[in-house]
Amino acid sequence: MTMPKRDTYTPESLLAVAVEVFNERGYDGTSMEHLSRAAGISKSSIYHHVKGKEELLRLAISRALDGLFGILQEPEARDGRAVERLEHVTRRTTEVLMTELPYVTLLLRVRGNTDTERWAMARRRDFDHEVAELVKQAVADGDLRPDVDARLATRLLFGMINSIVEWYRPSRGGAATADEVADAVVRTAFAGLRI
Amino acid sequence: MTMPKRDTYTPESLLAVAVEVFNERGYDGTSMEHLSRAAGISKSSIYHHVKGKEELLRLAISRALDGLFGILQEPEARDGRAVERLEHVTRRTTEVLMTELPYVTLLLRVRGNTDTERWAMARRRDFDHEVAELVKQAVADGDLRPDVDARLATRLLFGMINSIVEWYRPSRGGAATADEVADAVVRTAFAGLRI
């Protein structure tokens, strides 16, 4: 057993440890004991920072959601043709997923057993809904193909973006950069792979 | 407690029950007791059909893999330009995912703690590799855009296809049919959503 270390955590650095454990064990499968062991500080030290693991979940999910909903407030997401706004949102969602990887991964994996989990799922649906509205508008403008149903197109778009959490690791040398991945997603989804 | 029912299972019908439990609880989280309860027959009746849960996993994964590798043997996947073969494989992979939904879902979720799980993951990588080779060949033929890296394109393509297990439910009325979904995937991935 390792000696408990002095508690030098900030809320942010404690959160980073908690999110790692949540993603590894699942939120349900994580106890305060697991968090204490991963952080190397006592449970009472953790309680000094937060009320419990559900508060850590709420903080982590908030960070992912703030990143995602922030995109919708950007000028490029608010002004102009729907298709251009949609391409911007697609590129930025891909970027936020990669820069906030552990937080967005947690958001995508949460299944609703607690109020916080259900809130996370509801907010995620809200975000998907905003994007689906952009897709619908772009189809109505005649800028997106009418032979792919708007709801299905939205699902496939998010399917492509969200799958990045399965393989993207920022530390892995030689792999694609966040910029290259975002470009590839926008090109593939909007222009298609065929020349 | 419900009375155990008479064992009228065939290997196939027992497998269908087991796969449902594996997908719900995770393979690791499933005990023979869970399988016995879900099937409504005793554990010894289950042992009459199979050696244990790992054999059920192997049978279920084999069914998914047979479906997927079978695609690569189809004439349309073997003859002609790489890009046409790739489109065929994309369409058929989407179809097999939907017709064999619980089996492919299990294959996609398996994480390697046992020999059977590791074998499943290795075979899945083999399939991905075969498709990646088609992508590379199609780029070399000048049929796919060179500005999206072939490895990345393969990942995004599978990301889009595999995400279908998250929302597709064949029983849900009013939703897209398997054919519509397969068309949408091929159109989105190869021609793009933009007109």
Side-chain angles (χ1 to χ4, degrees), chain B residues 66-109:
Chain B
D66 288 351
L68 293 171
F69 279 95
I71 295 168
L72 303 178
Q73 303 307 320
E74 293 169 358
E76 300 92 328
R78 298 170 61 102
D79 309 319
R81 285 183 86 81
V83 70
E84 305 290 346
R85 290 154 61 204
L86 180 63
E87 283 200 15
H88 176 79
V89 170
T90 299
R91 172 180 305 281
R92 293 282 298 125
T93 300
T94 308
E95 285 169 0
V96 166
L97 177 144
M98 290 183 287
T99 54
E100 301 290 334
L101 190 67
Y103 301 92
V104 178
T105 302
L106 183 64
L107 173 65
L108 294 177
R109 291 194 183 156

Side-chain angles (χ1 to χ4, degrees), chain B residues 127-157:
Chain B
F127 186 78
D128 291 5
H129 183 75
E130 296 270 351
V131 177
E133 288 300 311
L134 272 181
V135 172
K136 265 184 222 158
Q137 186 56 51
V139 174
D141 292 346
D143 290 326
L144 291 190
R145 47 194 316 142
D147 57 358
V148 174
D149 172 75
R151 195 157 158 233
L152 192 46
T154 309
R155 280 177 157 157
L156 295 177
L157 190 58

Side-chain angles (χ1 to χ4, degrees), chain B residues 16-85:
Chain B
V17 173
V19 169
E20 215 175 297
V21 183
F22 290 157
N23 281 331
E24 204 185 299
R25 302 189 157 267
Y27 176 70
D28 276 349
T30 302
S31 65
M32 285 300 284
E33 183 61 36
H34 293 133
L35 294 176
S36 154
R37 252 182 281 155
I41 57 174
S42 67
K43 280 192 261 183
S44 62
S45 296
I46 296 182
Y47 284 119
H48 173 72
H49 294 287
V50 289
K51 275 185 218 141
K53 73 167 189 163
E54 196 166 348
E55 185 175 347
L56 286 164
L57 179 69
R58 190 177 52 73
L59 290 169
I61 294 291
S62 294
R63 180 158 158 174
L65 290 170
D66 288 351
L68 293 171
F69 279 95
I71 295 168
L72 303 178
Q73 303 307 320
E74 293 169 358
E76 300 92 328
R78 298 170 61 102
D79 309 319
R81 285 183 86 81
V83 70
E84 305 290 346
R85 290 154 61 204

